[in-house]
């Protein structure tokens, strides 16, 4: 659902999938439905628009819908997918805020369908190796995580810079990687957050659209995280995890190209697989075969990030530390 | 003054100096005075203890005194040096707080002597190359600085972990590098600071001795800094400066060994010179020849860092952002 730029990347990557397959299309643009339908062999009967896609409930070729639309649309669309009896994969951020996220989880539970969030890095080999090393104690007690996520965004007219469609700015799009990364790298749920916003371009980044936010997370063990979310800097994309006995550095840590990294034990050498190919096959396994991923990708996982985002925006607005209750 | 571990490093380094020379010694330990006096050729008449060192005023062989004692002693000792008519070099942090720093500056001004602070990195070649590139606009408009400074401190009984002598914990010793680095790397004076403290070892790090503090600085241009100060993590010592057109990364950025770094234009290749050798010759040039360093090392420079430290401790105590007036 939503045949834009990122959906194109997913669709191309899925051509190498073993378990996942494009069996339906949803778009508001008839020409895209024709083009994609021909390209990926999706028959006309499995092509839908935003008015009629509830009819997927009668289509046995469709098991799940990957919602890849602007953030503000996720809530209603996922609930419609659930009501049509299909599993939902929702691109991150799962919704505009935690309240929406909770409604989506409830709707999917009520419909008896799974809700997954498009956290492709949860299946990425170097990332998972660092998670394994941390969970097996190879870094010792974890003390610190740093996530620097951002890039200089281009076209000022894109939906990502429209508060009504994006629900915010860099934090909703790229900052969430640092939040999510902090949680799976440290291996704990944060209990507080502080945040500071700065804006150097008020033309491009209008009211409610964050350009740059620094935020800090505190964890029950006393570990802390220091993160950067920005739409106005390049040369970032670094994760750094520090423990009493070792460290891991991933740079790039979240981009689509190969993730590169090292630990105190040396360079990470796990082979690169196109993230979206890996993700879609793994998600097919979760949906169709009941597989359990090492790092969760379910609605609750998405909701936790939304709770942190809500708190970050409150912290920016008030200047006050926000307590978190993710579990 | 103060013939401890760091003074030994300075004294050894000074054997390669061209302009600076050890011509006097001040210590509370007679055996050290004998040993150092013999080793460095300092006659008995130029050896002093903490009771009688005011007599240096009558010693024409002494131009300046490098005060390398616990932080809590700097204020009174520098003022005594000034009153003896000698220039003072004071190890960082210059004092326990800004109020002390202001008194030291006033005393040196009244006595007509110079007051320098032991910022050895202000003379380090790779650091200065990054400062040059930034000041000539090679990184474009500066957006972000990150300073991660810390190490796991050893002996729990050392003066650095004694609030009365150190005035604090990691921030006074190693965190100040991130403050100072943020200022000379960004090339502006910060106008606000926020900070968050975490303590995982309350035995080693007693009341008033900070283990780990995250802090953030805001600059007039809208640039921000995100820093870490800790006595309980290794694998740090990284500076990262990010601008619209390029970046610089120094790692290690503050240690005694060679500083290593790269920018968007490639690896920094300036040759390593022992920091303390370079520092002492440069400081001799400032004191004796009236040279002006590229990055200041005077009392005002030290005072600015103390003002930030005072504000960081207030921010930790109150949870509130502190406005800064450094200029």
């Amino acid at each position: 659902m939503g045949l834009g730029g990122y959906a194109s990347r997913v669709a191309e990557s899925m051509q190498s999938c073993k378990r996942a397959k494009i069996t339906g299309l949803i778009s508001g643009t008839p020409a895209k439905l024709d083009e994609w339908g021909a390209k990926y062999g999706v028959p006309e009967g499995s092509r839908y628009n935003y008015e009629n896609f509830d009819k997927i409930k009668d289509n046995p070729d469709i098991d799940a819908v990957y919602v890849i639309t602007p953030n503000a649309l996720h809530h209603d669309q996922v609930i419609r997918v659930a009501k049509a009896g299909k599993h939902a994969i929702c691109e991150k951020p799962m919704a505009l805020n935690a309240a929406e996220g909770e409604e989506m989880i409830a709707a999917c539970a009520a419909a008896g369908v799974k809700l997954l969030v498009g956290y492709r890095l949860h299946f990425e080999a170097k990332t998972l190796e660092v998670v394994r090393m941390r969970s097996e104690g190879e870094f010792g007690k974890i003390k610190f995580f740093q996530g620097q996520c951002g890039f200089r965004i281009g076209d000022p007219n894109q939906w990502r810079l429209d508060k009504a469609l994006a629900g915010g700015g860099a934090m909703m799009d790229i900052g969430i990687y640092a939040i999510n990364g902090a949680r799976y790298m440290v291996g704990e749920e944060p209990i507080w957050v502080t945040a500071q916003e700065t804006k150097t371009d008020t033309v491009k980044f209008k009211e409610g659209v964050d350009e740059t936010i620094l935020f800090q997370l505190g964890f029950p063990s006393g570990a802390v995280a220091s993160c950067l979310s920005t739409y106005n800097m390049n040369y970032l994309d670094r994760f750094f995890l520090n423990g009493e006995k070792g460290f891991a550095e991933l740079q790039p840590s979240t981009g689509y190209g190969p993730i590169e990294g090292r630990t105190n034990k040396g360079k990470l050498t796990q082979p690169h697989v196109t993230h979206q190919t890996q993700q879609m096959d793994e998600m097919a396994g979760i949906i169709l075969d009941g597989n359990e991923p090492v790092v969760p990708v379910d609605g609750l996982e998405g909701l936790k990030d939304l709770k942190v985002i809500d708190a970050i925006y409150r912290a920016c607005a008030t200047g006050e530390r926000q307590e978190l209750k993710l579990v």
Side-chain angles (χ1 to χ4, degrees), chain A residues 2-319:
Chain A
L3 308 184
Y6 189 64
S8 299
R9 182 182 290 270
V10 171
E12 280 303 305
S13 304
M14 284 179 73
Q15 302 316 300
S16 307
C17 278
K18 294 184 174 68
R19 190 85 174 104
K21 192 182 163 191
I22 301 175
T23 59
L25 298 168
I26 304 171
S27 171
T29 309
K32 278 191 189 173
L33 287 173
D34 290 346
E35 184 200 332
W36 285 53
K39 188 170 181 185
Y40 298 118
V42 177
E44 282 195 35
S46 294
R47 303 177 197 167
Y48 303 87
N49 60 39
Y50 289 110
E51 284 68 47
N52 68 11
F53 79 76
D54 308 274
K55 290 187 191 163
I56 58 173
K57 74 170 180 293
D58 304 317
N59 190 332
D61 293 338
I62 296 175
D63 296 297
V65 175
Y66 194 169
V67 175
I68 313 184
T69 56
N71 307 338
L73 308 178
H74 292 180
H75 170 266
D76 291 4
Q77 289 168 341
V78 163
I79 291 175
R80 278 175 72 187
V81 166
K83 285 186 173 165
K86 303 299 183 184
H87 304 289
I89 306 172
C90 183
E91 192 40 34
K92 54 92 209 151
M94 179 179 159
L96 297 186
N97 52 56
E100 281 194 355
E102 282 168 351
E103 290 174 0
M104 293 156 76
I105 290 172
C108 290
V113 299
K114 286 182 175 156
L115 169 55
L116 309 184
V117 182
Y119 291 120
R120 66 190 152 80
L121 295 165
H122 293 206
F123 307 105
E124 195 281 322
K126 295 188 184 76
T127 302
L128 288 176
E129 172 61 6
V130 174
V131 169
R132 184 198 65 74
M133 291 177 73
R134 183 265 301 154
S135 65
E136 293 181 6
E138 295 187 25
F139 304 129
K141 196 170 149 66
I142 296 299
K143 294 287 183 183
F144 180 69
F145 172 76
Q146 176 219 270
Q148 293 180 335
C149 297
F151 57 91
R152 293 195 74 185
I153 199 164
D155 177 12
N157 298 314
Q158 64 188 288
W159 70 260
R160 287 187 174 80
L161 295 174
D162 179 343
K163 160 85 170 164
L165 286 172
M171 184 62 65
M172 301 300 284
D173 179 25
I174 187 74
I176 191 172
Y177 284 102
I179 297 169
N180 193 252
R183 294 177 45 245
Y184 63 67
M185 296 291 263
V186 174
E188 298 177 59
E189 298 298 357
I191 53 175
W192 58 257
V193 62
T194 48
Q196 306 81 33
E197 184 174 4
T198 186
K199 193 175 285 195
T200 62
D201 184 344
T202 53
V203 176
K204 194 167 189 177
F205 307 104
K206 301 195 168 52
E207 178 73 26
V209 178
D210 48 289
E211 172 193 321
T212 299
I213 292 177
L214 302 177
F215 63 96
Q216 304 80 39
L217 299 165
F219 297 87
S221 65
V224 286
S226 171
C227 301
L228 167 64
S229 163
T230 182
Y231 263 161
N232 208 4
M233 299 178 207
N234 288 321
Y235 316 114
L236 296 172
D237 200 4
R238 180 176 190 257
F239 280 6
F240 174 66
L241 182 71
N242 205 7
E244 286 192 349
K245 297 196 300 192
F247 72 90
E249 180 188 53
L250 296 175
Q251 188 174 19
S253 56
T254 69
Y256 301 144
I259 303 300
E260 303 283 352
R262 65 190 178 109
T263 73
N264 52 299
K265 292 179 180 172
K267 194 168 152 65
L268 292 166
T269 55
Q270 287 71 22
H272 172 69
V273 178
T274 300
H275 298 173
Q276 292 80 6
T277 304
Q278 184 85 11
Q279 173 197 337
M280 296 313 288
D281 264 347
E282 297 270 4
M283 288 191 163
I286 293 168
I287 288 170
L288 300 174
D289 309 325
N291 294 347
E292 291 278 354
V294 174
V295 184
V297 290
D298 58 8
L300 182 59
E301 177 75 4
L303 177 63
K304 287 176 179 175
D305 288 344
L306 291 176
K307 285 182 174 177
V308 177
I309 290 177
D310 287 355
I312 286 171
Y313 285 142
R314 286 197 306 273
C316 287
T318 63

